[in-house]
């Protein structure tokens, strides 16, 4: 039986079923997220407890011998850890490469389609993995790192767009969050691989880096059996193929209304010759501004500060030498399971509810953790067991809130709110902003922690207040709205953003008259 998709009484109803084929397409495409997550986890963790290949002595001795030498004699405390900006820059170079690549990927997405863009991503990943895992000198390592960054840029550009365009409107949120689910699984797997390969000498780091090839191969060959999105096909004047693909993914014969809606969106998009210039027009500003700020907010939730102390706290509570493993397992499992909660709730309660609930949720956790650390954790020494246990609990609760809200919704909302004429370009800007702010946090976090000490938790708490207020007043609900009808059903009725829609309409009226 078909599910009738409708969000308001006067809106067109699009019939659709959740088919096995769509589920397979979603899982295969989301392997792009698993690769991204694996690379985040495998390359560097901000803590020194078996964290990333850049913490492995064999890796440092081979490629960064001076860094390894300095690390042996550096004085550390609870807040100031060894921080080599050059090594951090090497790790963060992936994000800079992804930032650049996302704009190239946007053009490929528009000209060739979402599916070929994912295939390019997997090829970049495979070549990058081969160069980094097999590196014999720093040049090979850096080139491989840059190619991995291109893989991230292409994958993060194409996969969320693919998932949003292929999903039925009433399930779009949950299916899109499968991308973030795979990111969390990738991070979890990488943390376990890091832990066990750190004791494999001298090539444990090669095994860890080479593991990224497995999901890349799955994405490359899996992409051969998935279809291109109907929107991409029709946008490139392959209307019959688009109609056939739409019928296949919806699982019903009556797809004419949705097909006509896509065709209409494509006709409007075809009139736009420069999508980046179009992004600066009034009507494009709501999704453009929200898309960029969501990336800033996602990185300034303080998730890095929380994850930094997790292994230290687990050790204090009494897990001893197993603290790193237990921290990775417990926080990793919570991260993955809580993302399932997001998948279940996002199309039931809506995006805004999750953002607002988690803002309060994470703010409380950050404040409690910050107060305990400020009161009981000095530059040296450790927390008492009772205090450490309280902080561990609130760390886990915090991870839950992030995993079902700002983590996945930072990718979902920009992928579904841009009109077709600026969708690829707008999402490219969002991806590049995400990479830029990730780079900034990666470069600055340890220095900020050393300077601000426990105050860093209050710093991120202030950001959570800002993002919560922004979500309350400026992020509209998009639950159940067909992806090509956001302008009429989301932006025009909104109390603030409607002024930009009216300004654009007035401008178009003037152009028509002249």
């Amino acid at each position: 039986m078909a599910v009738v998709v409708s969000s308001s009484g006067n809106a067109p109803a699009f019939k659709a079923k959740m088919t096995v084929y769509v589920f397979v397409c979603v899982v295969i495409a989301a392997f792009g997220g698993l690769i991204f997550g694996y690379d985040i986890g495998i390359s560097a963790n901000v803590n020194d407890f078996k964290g990333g290949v850049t913490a492995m002595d064999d890796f440092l001795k081979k490629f960064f011998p001076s860094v390894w030498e300095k690390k042996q004699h550096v004085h550390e405390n609870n807040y100031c850890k060894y921080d080599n900006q050059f090594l951090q820059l090497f790790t963060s170079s992936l994000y800079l490469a992804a930032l650049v690549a996302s704009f190239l990927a946007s053009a490929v997405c528009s000209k060739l389609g979402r599916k070929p863009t994912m295939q390019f991503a997997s090829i970049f990943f495979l070549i990058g993995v081969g160069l980094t895992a097999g590196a014999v000198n720093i040049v090979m390592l850096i080139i491989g790192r840059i190619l991995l960054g291109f893989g991230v840029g292409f994958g993060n550009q194409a996969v969320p767009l693919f998932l949003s365009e292929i999903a039925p409107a009433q399930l779009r949120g949950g299916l899109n969050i499968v991308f973030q689910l795979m990111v969390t699984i990738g991070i979890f797997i990488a943390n376990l691989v890091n832990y066990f390969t750190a004791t494999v000498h001298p090539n444990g780091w090669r095994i860890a880096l080479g593991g990224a090839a497995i999901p890349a191969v799955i994405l490359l060959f899996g992409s051969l059996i998935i279809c291109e999105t109907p929107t991409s096909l029709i946008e490139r004047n392959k209307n019959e193929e688009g109609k056939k693909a739409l019928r296949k993914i919806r699982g019903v014969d009556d797809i004419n209304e949705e097909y006509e809606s896509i065709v209409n969106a494509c006709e409007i998009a075809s009139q736009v010759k420069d999508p980046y210039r179009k992004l600066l027009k009034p009507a494009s500003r709501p999704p453009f501004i929200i898309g960029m700020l969501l990336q800033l907010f996602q990185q300034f939730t303080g998730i890095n500060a929380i994850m930094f102390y997790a292994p230290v706290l687990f050790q204090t509570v009494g897990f001893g030498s197993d603290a790193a493993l237990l921290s990775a397992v417990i926080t990793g499992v919570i991260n993955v399971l809580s993302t399932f909660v997001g998948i279940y709730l996002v199309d039931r309660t809506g995006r805004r509810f999750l953002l607002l609930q988690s803002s309060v949720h994470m703010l409380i956790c950050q404040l409690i953790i910050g107060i305990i650390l400020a009161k009981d954790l000095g530059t040296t020494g450790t927390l008492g067991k009772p205090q450490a246990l309280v902080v561990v609990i609130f760390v886990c609760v915090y991870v839950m809130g992030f995993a079902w809200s700002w983590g996945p919704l930072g990718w979902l909302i920009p992928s579904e709110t841009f009109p077709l004429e600026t969708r690829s370009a707008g999402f490219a800007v969002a991806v590049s902003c995400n990479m830029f702010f990730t780079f900034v946090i990666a470069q600055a976090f340890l220095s900020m922690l050393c300077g601000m000490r426990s105050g860093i938790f209050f710093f991120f708490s202030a950001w959570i207040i800002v993002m919560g207020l922004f979500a309350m007043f400026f992020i509209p609900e998009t639950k159940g709205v067909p992806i090509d009808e956001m302008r009429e059903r989301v932006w025009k009725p909104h109390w603030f953003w409607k002024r930009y829609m009216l300004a654009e309409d007035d401008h178009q009226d003037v152009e028509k008259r002249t």
Side-chain angles (χ1 to χ4, degrees):
M1 180 179 292
V3 178
V4 177
V5 180
S6 180
S7 295
S8 63
N10 59 357
F14 298 152
K15 295 180 180 178
K17 289 192 292 187
M18 179 60 199
T19 64
V20 174
Y21 181 71
V22 166
F23 178 77
V24 170
C25 288
V26 166
V27 172
I28 290 173
F31 265 88
L34 193 146
I35 302 169
F36 180 42
Y38 185 88
D39 196 83
I40 290 172
I42 215 69
S43 57
N45 254 329
V46 288
N47 60 70
D48 244 352
F49 296 82
K50 308 285 187 187
V53 295
T54 54
M56 296 183 186
D57 286 343
D58 293 320
F59 178 84
L60 291 176
K61 287 177 186 177
K62 185 170 184 64
F63 298 108
F64 302 95
S66 62
V67 173
W68 181 78
E69 283 288 341
K70 290 177 183 176
K71 191 176 178 182
Q72 306 312 303
H73 306 99
V74 73
H75 175 70
E76 296 185 335
N77 60 46
N78 286 329
Y79 295 103
C80 297
K81 301 295 181 181
Y82 180 62
D83 181 21
N84 183 277
Q85 288 294 314
F86 181 67
L87 187 60
Q88 285 287 78
L89 183 61
F90 161 75
T91 301
S92 303
S93 62
L94 177 141
Y95 304 118
L96 294 179
L99 189 159
V100 174
S102 62
F103 292 102
L104 178 59
S106 170
V108 175
C109 252
S110 296
K111 300 296 182 184
L112 301 180
R114 287 43 164 161
K115 178 176 170 178
T117 308
M118 288 188 282
Q119 292 169 335
F120 278 120
S122 58
I123 292 169
F124 281 129
F125 275 123
L126 286 171
I127 299 173
V129 166
L131 288 173
T132 53
V136 296
N137 55 52
I138 191 70
V139 174
M140 277 184 70
L141 197 67
I142 291 174
I143 293 173
R145 191 78 182 151
I146 290 170
L147 288 173
L148 286 172
F150 268 71
V152 168
F154 272 66
N156 288 14
Q157 170 71 19
V159 174
L161 288 181
F162 176 88
L163 297 177
S164 286
E165 290 180 348
I166 204 172
Q170 85 280 15
L171 298 174
R172 186 177 60 245
L175 293 182
N176 185 283
I177 292 178
V178 175
F179 173 78
Q180 178 68 13
L181 173 67
M182 296 297 258
V183 172
T184 63
I185 292 173
I187 294 172
F188 176 60
I189 293 172
N191 285 335
L192 297 182
V193 171
N194 282 335
Y195 183 85
F196 290 109
T197 56
T199 56
V200 179
H201 303 291
N203 293 315
W205 62 271
R206 295 189 190 274
I207 298 170
L209 291 174
I214 297 172
V217 168
I218 294 173
L219 178 62
L220 178 61
F221 289 100
S223 65
L224 300 176
I225 65 172
I226 66 178
C227 69
E228 182 58 88
T229 71
T231 300
S232 178
L233 290 167
I234 297 169
E235 183 182 22
R236 291 177 288 125
N237 298 316
K238 299 181 179 181
N239 290 35
E240 284 306 312
E241 290 180 49
K243 196 169 190 177
K244 183 179 177 181
L246 185 61
R247 186 172 285 112
K248 185 175 185 178
I249 64 174
R250 293 294 175 255
V252 297
D253 291 325
D254 185 11
I255 47 90
N256 289 331
E257 283 184 288
E258 185 172 4
Y259 173 74
E260 291 301 326
S261 176
I262 296 173
V263 169
N264 181 57
C266 290
E267 288 174 353
I268 295 172
S270 67
Q271 299 170 21
V272 176
K273 304 305 179 186
D274 187 348
Y276 289 100
R277 179 175 292 181
K278 179 71 173 177
L279 280 174
L280 302 178
K281 299 287 186 181
S284 299
R285 285 175 198 163
F288 185 60
I289 293 170
I290 289 173
M292 288 193 298
L293 287 179
L294 279 173
Q295 311 314 311
L296 171 68
F297 293 152
Q298 186 192 69
Q299 296 305 313
F300 279 76
T301 53
I303 187 68
N304 289 303
I306 292 291
M307 300 307 288
F308 179 91
Y309 276 107
V312 185
L313 295 165
F314 275 82
Q315 193 173 52
T316 302
V317 170
F319 290 112
S321 60
D322 291 327
L325 179 60
L326 264 295
S327 170
V329 170
I330 293 174
T331 57
V333 168
I334 288 172
N335 203 4
V336 171
L337 294 180
S338 299
T339 307
F340 276 110
V341 175
I343 290 173
Y344 178 79
L345 290 178
V346 70
D347 290 311
R348 290 172 171 81
T349 63
R351 285 70 160 149
R352 275 171 49 82
F353 173 82
L354 292 178
L355 292 174
L356 294 171
Q357 179 278 329
S358 63
S359 294
V360 176
H361 176 143
M362 293 190 298
L363 176 63
I364 293 170
C365 293
Q366 285 271 23
L367 290 174
I368 290 174
I369 293 169
I371 290 169
I372 292 174
L373 293 184
K375 180 174 175 288
D376 297 316
L377 185 65
T379 304
T380 57
T382 61
L383 285 174
K385 262 192 182 179
Q387 294 97 321
L389 183 59
V390 171
V391 175
V392 164
I393 291 170
F394 277 99
V395 163
C396 294
V397 174
Y398 173 92
V399 171
M400 290 180 191
F402 178 83
W404 66 52
S405 61
W406 292 92
L409 295 180
W411 296 107
L412 167 61
I413 293 173
S415 74
E416 66 179 1
T417 50
F418 284 100
L420 181 59
E421 60 265 29
T422 56
R423 187 172 301 157
S424 184
F427 194 65
V429 173
V431 171
S432 66
C433 285
N434 186 281
M435 295 300 109
F436 174 74
F437 293 124
T438 303
F439 168 78
V440 169
I441 287 291
Q443 285 297 116
F445 174 72
L446 289 178
S447 299
M448 290 171 62
L449 179 64
C450 187
M452 300 174 71
R453 296 160 57 99
S454 59
I456 198 167
F457 291 93
F458 302 110
F459 170 79
F460 287 123
S461 295
W463 275 102
I464 291 175
I465 293 172
V466 172
M467 63 184 73
L469 291 173
F470 184 83
M472 179 182 293
F473 293 108
F474 298 107
I475 298 182
E477 184 55 68
T478 55
K479 178 186 72 171
V481 180
I483 194 169
D484 290 312
E485 298 191 10
M486 293 290 173
R487 178 185 172 92
E488 297 298 323
R489 294 168 56 181
V490 171
W491 303 120
K492 281 190 174 182
H494 191 268
W495 74 273
F496 181 79
W497 300 119
K498 66 182 179 182
R499 69 191 67 186
Y500 294 97
M501 301 297 121
L502 294 173
E504 183 75 6
D505 290 344
D506 291 343
H507 178 70
Q508 290 176 353
D509 288 342
V510 170
E511 284 187 337
K512 286 178 182 177
R513 286 196 295 270
T514 54

